[in-house]
Amino acid sequence: MPTAECRPLLPKAPCATIKTYLNRIGMLLAPVIWLVAAATAILVAGKFWWFPAPISALAVEYDRQFSLTLIVIGGIFLVAQAGLGYVIFRFRDSGRPARFSRGDNRLEVIWTAATAVLFIGLALAGETIWAGIHMQPEPAGALQVEVLAKQFSWSFRYPGPDGKFGRTDIKLINDSAGNPFGLDDKDPAARDDIMTSALRVPAGRPVVLTMQARDVIHDFFVPELRVKQDLVPGMRIPFQFQADKTGEYEIACAELCGLGHHQMRSTLRVLTPEAFRDWLADQRGLQ
Ligand SMILES: [Cu+2]
């Protein structure tokens, strides 16, 4: 005869309390945790959906630091998940009264300090890569290019044969006439400036971009370079990189900048030095 304490869930099933059934179902959480942790580790270690191939020395360095962080943090993640599953099994409800524990202050201090050292250490190691972009003096012989971002397109300006950027005036900005920078024709230095909608650079030569935004914050992002830089209205932000591998790469805006954000893209064309020289000469011929 079933009682409140002992009630089979199915006819003729062995007698068990509801509590026992719930306890057994609860045990399933442990293998689920282990499976999710193992699947996560396989997906990350297998690199099935991964970054595109790097095209600069800095990007290679970035990947090295990223992998190191992933190995250290991923190892700790796996150990923690394995321990969590074990604790679910080991300390399941076996009918005995629970024991009250005050914890262990010494252990708390040790693992909090170890976590702090680990995170600060990894952050400092990564800092040198960040500083390699932002804190270095401008390299000698760098190609200078101005970048202008606006809703929802990119424009690039190269100095002409005189090597000088001409004067611009906000009142002269005219997108439909092909003058997004507001170049002042009266300035002789402005007449030979080259404006393009794609960024062309020679491989193996440092490039310094001077970035500005005309309306809202945008973000210059080339995944193959592993770099991102915000463009902020009212600021001229220098940003340097060197691409070593020729090819075509997408420049995406990585800041949600309005309704047309998804279509705000351009192309980075890394050319051989000869091809870049020829392209520059052609542009000068068109001036
Ligand atoms: Cu944008």
Side-chain angles (χ1 to χ4, degrees), residues 149-153 175 214-216 218 257-261 264:
K150 66 171 200 299
Q151 290 171 320
F152 298 97
S153 63
D175 289 329
R214 220 167 72 182
D215 34 39
V216 298
H218 300 275
C257 57
L259 279 179
H261 163 68
M264 184 165 170

Side-chain angles (χ1 to χ4, degrees), residues 63-244:
D63 283 3
R64 194 194 54 75
Q65 179 62 34
F66 188 84
S67 298
L68 175 70
T69 303
L70 210 56
I71 289 166
V72 173
I73 303 298
I76 294 170
F77 166 76
L78 282 177
V79 170
Q81 298 307 300
L84 182 58
Y86 168 76
V87 164
I88 289 172
F89 266 128
R90 174 77 178 74
F91 299 104
R92 66 185 179 276
D93 181 8
S94 56
R96 286 171 302 177
R99 265 191 307 121
F100 178 74
S101 162
R102 289 191 179 277
D104 186 326
N105 285 343
R106 204 166 55 98
L107 276 179
E108 291 275 359
V109 169
I110 288 172
W111 63 54
T112 304
T115 308
V117 168
L118 187 69
F119 274 85
I120 293 170
L122 285 172
L124 286 177
E127 203 71 1
T128 54
I129 299 170
W130 182 87
I133 309 174
H134 298 279
M135 307 297 280
Q136 294 298 316
E138 209 168 274
L143 173 71
Q144 301 281 343
V145 186
E146 282 200 351
V147 182
L148 175 74
K150 66 171 200 299
Q151 290 171 320
F152 298 97
S153 63
W154 298 94
S155 303
F156 305 95
R157 176 160 79 123
Y158 299 76
D162 62 359
K164 280 191 230 153
F165 287 107
R167 194 171 52 235
T168 56
D169 186 336
I170 197 168
K171 295 190 201 88
L172 298 172
I173 289 174
N174 189 338
D175 289 329
S176 50
N179 191 4
F181 284 89
L183 271 186
D184 184 357
D185 259 358
K186 290 194 204 85
D187 177 17
R191 283 183 206 139
D192 62 352
D193 285 7
I194 298 160
M195 285 184 286
T196 61
S197 57
L199 177 59
R200 290 173 180 81
V201 300
R205 180 175 166 191
V207 179
V208 174
L209 302 178
T210 304
M211 306 219 199
Q212 46 186 319
R214 220 167 72 182
D215 34 39
V216 298
I217 297 175
H218 300 275
D219 189 286
F220 180 91
F221 177 36
V222 179
E224 287 83 356
L225 290 173
R226 309 283 193 268
V227 291
K228 268 184 184 175
Q229 176 60 53
D230 272 3
L231 295 90
V232 183
M235 291 180 76
R236 290 172 63 82
I237 300 174
F239 179 74
Q240 50 182 279
F241 72 91
Q242 178 178 315
D244 296 320

Side-chain angles (χ1 to χ4, degrees), residues 30 202 208 215 245 263 283:
V208 174
D215 34 39
K245 214 166 134 196
Q263 65 195 26
Q283 297 303 305

